[in-house]
Amino acid sequence: MAAENVRRAGFETLVELRTADAADVLRESPDATWDLVLLDAERPQYPGYWPDLVRTLRPGGLIAADNAISHEAEMAPFRATVDADPDAVSALDATGAGLLLVTRR
Ligand SMILES: C[S@@+](CC[C@H](N)C(=O)[O-])C[C@H]1O[C@@H](n2cnc3c(N)ncnc32)[C@H](O)[C@@H]1O
């Protein structure tokens, strides 16, 4: 479906699609690789992603985690992880399911 969406949008030369476990991709990514990471899958796993998210996010990059409102209890451990990092800054986009936006100083 994603490949078809990319094709219809005419972005085939711009988009590289990877089918892989997100944790593996993060672990194997070099430092400062990503401008934007969208988390929209296994919420209980997000706190474990944090060290690799911090390491692989480019300066000025953004982490966006969906379902911060619709699945508030499941998101609580990740929000606590973010809040415990003195270099993390977060804001909640309270539209829809709730998008937690996180960047680092
Ligand atoms: C809620 S859906 C994502 C919807 C998508 N963001 C959209 O707006 O269309 C979650 C997707 O993440 C995939 N997924 C779950 N765990 C994953 C993991 N560890 N690594 C990569 N993808 C995963 C699921 O197979 C599912 O397709």
Side-chain angles (χ1 to χ4, degrees):
M1 187 186 296
E4 176 58 15
N5 287 343
V6 168
R7 191 196 63 74
R8 279 193 297 114
F11 290 162
E12 282 165 305
T13 60
L14 300 173
V15 174
E16 175 191 339
L17 287 174
R18 300 186 196 178
T19 305
D21 185 274
D24 292 342
V25 171
L26 281 173
R27 190 180 314 110
E28 292 162 8
S29 295
D31 295 358
T33 296
W34 305 113
D35 295 310
L36 172 68
V37 178
L38 171 65
L39 300 175
D40 189 17
E42 298 169 305
R43 289 172 287 276
Q45 306 303 318
Y46 298 172
Y49 293 174
W50 185 248
D52 282 323
L53 287 169
V54 167
R55 183 182 61 74
T56 62
L57 198 67
R58 281 197 186 129
L62 183 69
I63 299 162
D66 202 13
N67 304 109
I69 294 173
S70 64
H71 295 72
E72 187 177 358
E74 278 188 15
M75 286 289 285
F78 182 65
R79 294 194 72 165
T81 300
V82 171
D83 291 344
D85 185 330
D87 289 330
V89 180
S90 66
L92 179 65
D93 172 357
T95 57
L99 196 62
L100 183 68
L101 302 170
V102 185
T103 191
R104 299 187 81 249
R105 294 188 176 89

